[in-house]
Amino acid sequence: MILIKMGGSIITNKDRPLSPRKKTIDKIIKNLKKISEPVILVHGGGSFGHYWSVRYDMHTKPAKYDYHGIAIVKNSMIELNKIILDSMVKNKLNPYCLPPTDFMAGDKPIISKIKQIKNMAESNLTPVTFGDALWYGQKKSYILSGDRIMSILAKSLRPRLSIFLLNVDGLYSDFNTKKLIYDMKDQQASIQEISMDVTGGMKRKVEEAIKISKMGLKVFFVNGNKPHRAVDAIQKNKFEGTIFRG
């Protein structure tokens, strides 16, 4: 089983609010059709949910955020999710939409529900879930990122490979010179030591990737503009990006 995260920076134009990159989404989806084993798909919010969560000052820590902000974030994620589902249906895949509330209670995963996701993926459906604004309880809510969902699912489902599709070639040791880290062998290195570019969204991705790799699982950062590289990693064990080894 393969776990794939389509980052918000690859499926949307993050510098323009509410602007999907439909051609890129279609290109990624067409490449997913080439994968012969079960796939679970996660996507981020980009210029949809992420844009609104910033506008309403919502974070991953549970707190009493603006209720209208919660509604707008959720509505925008449903809108983006529908674009991805439509692309999958158009390309003859069988997407099965799974809002994270289907397998999360507050900020805790529901393990029995997560294990059902694997059964869906093995039944010729492609489960699709996404980062979202979630109800926590006690009048609080929080943002559950797609990156965090990746490590939650990986812990229970033990995928053969977890892939993060980015808008860059992988993780850089020097962002200015675009010097790429091909193999993250030193799991003990701090985020700051790994790259000066590891901030914000990329920092979260690296943190979750390290969590997954410490479970004894393999993680791959790859350029989503070149989705054939993800297919090559799955089918040919050929990695053009950054690999985190368990």
Side-chain angles (χ1 to χ4, degrees):
M1 188 191 71
I2 307 297
L3 186 58
I4 298 176
K5 160 76 188 306
M6 297 197 301
S9 63
I10 194 66
I11 59 176
T12 72
N13 296 296
K14 293 193 78 171
D15 56 344
R16 293 208 315 270
L18 310 177
S19 57
R21 299 179 68 196
K22 290 187 177 181
K23 289 183 179 179
T24 301
I25 292 170
D26 282 344
K27 186 177 179 180
I28 292 170
I29 298 305
K30 286 176 182 176
N31 274 270
L32 291 185
K33 287 189 66 178
K34 301 175 184 178
I35 302 171
S36 59
E37 57 192 292
V39 170
I40 296 171
L41 195 60
V42 181
H43 71 80
S47 66
F48 285 75
H50 180 71
Y51 169 78
W52 289 115
S53 66
V54 172
R55 283 284 300 271
Y56 283 92
D57 197 26
M58 299 176 66
H59 304 279
T60 56
K61 182 179 179 180
K64 294 180 180 179
Y65 298 114
D66 184 286
Y67 290 128
H68 192 61
I70 297 169
I72 289 179
V73 170
K74 291 193 73 70
N75 190 56
S76 70
M77 288 308 301
I78 290 170
E79 183 180 352
L80 179 58
N81 183 249
K82 181 65 163 54
I83 291 168
I84 292 168
L85 298 180
D86 286 345
S87 176
M88 295 178 76
V89 170
K90 179 178 71 175
N91 286 286
K92 309 300 181 184
L93 289 170
N94 303 318
Y96 189 96
C97 179
L98 277 172
T101 46
D102 281 12
F103 56 86
M104 297 291 295
D107 63 345
K108 305 297 182 185
I110 305 171
I111 304 304
S112 61
K113 293 287 187 180
I114 290 176
K115 290 185 176 178
Q116 288 179 14
I117 298 174
K118 183 178 181 180
N119 294 334
M120 293 177 194
E122 291 174 344
S123 301
N124 205 29
L125 292 170
T126 303
V128 183
T129 189
F130 47 89
D132 202 1
L134 265 62
W135 182 249
Y136 177 77
Q138 301 174 339
K139 298 184 178 181
K140 296 180 180 179
S141 60
Y142 72 105
I143 298 294
L144 176 65
S145 72
D147 299 322
R148 176 72 181 119
I149 291 174
M150 287 289 283
S151 63
I152 288 172
L153 297 182
K155 184 176 182 179
S156 293
L157 301 182
R158 309 288 299 178
R160 182 171 74 83
L161 180 62
S162 298
I163 298 176
F164 288 74
L165 299 178
L166 314 175
N167 200 29
V168 292
D169 285 337
L171 183 63
Y172 299 129
S173 60
D174 188 323
F175 187 74
N176 292 322
T177 63
K178 298 294 191 292
K179 184 178 180 182
L180 188 66
I181 298 173
Y182 293 100
D183 199 329
M184 281 285 295
K185 294 178 180 178
D186 185 6
Q187 300 290 335
Q188 303 304 315
S190 71
I191 299 300
Q192 289 75 22
E193 289 171 338
I194 292 166
S195 172
M196 292 300 101
D197 179 51
V198 176
T199 58
M202 184 61 84
K203 181 179 179 181
R204 285 191 296 272
K205 288 173 177 56
V206 173
E207 288 172 342
E208 299 303 331
I210 289 175
K211 282 183 190 177
I212 296 169
S213 67
K214 286 184 176 180
M215 299 172 194
L217 302 171
K218 191 181 295 183
V219 184
F220 184 43
F221 282 11
V222 65
N223 195 328
N225 293 300
K226 302 171 182 177
H228 64 278
R229 291 183 177 179
V231 177
D232 286 346
I234 294 166
Q235 297 183 340
K236 302 177 183 179
N237 203 34
K238 180 182 177 183
F239 295 95
E240 294 184 68
T242 301
I243 184 86
F244 296 71
R245 301 182 188 275

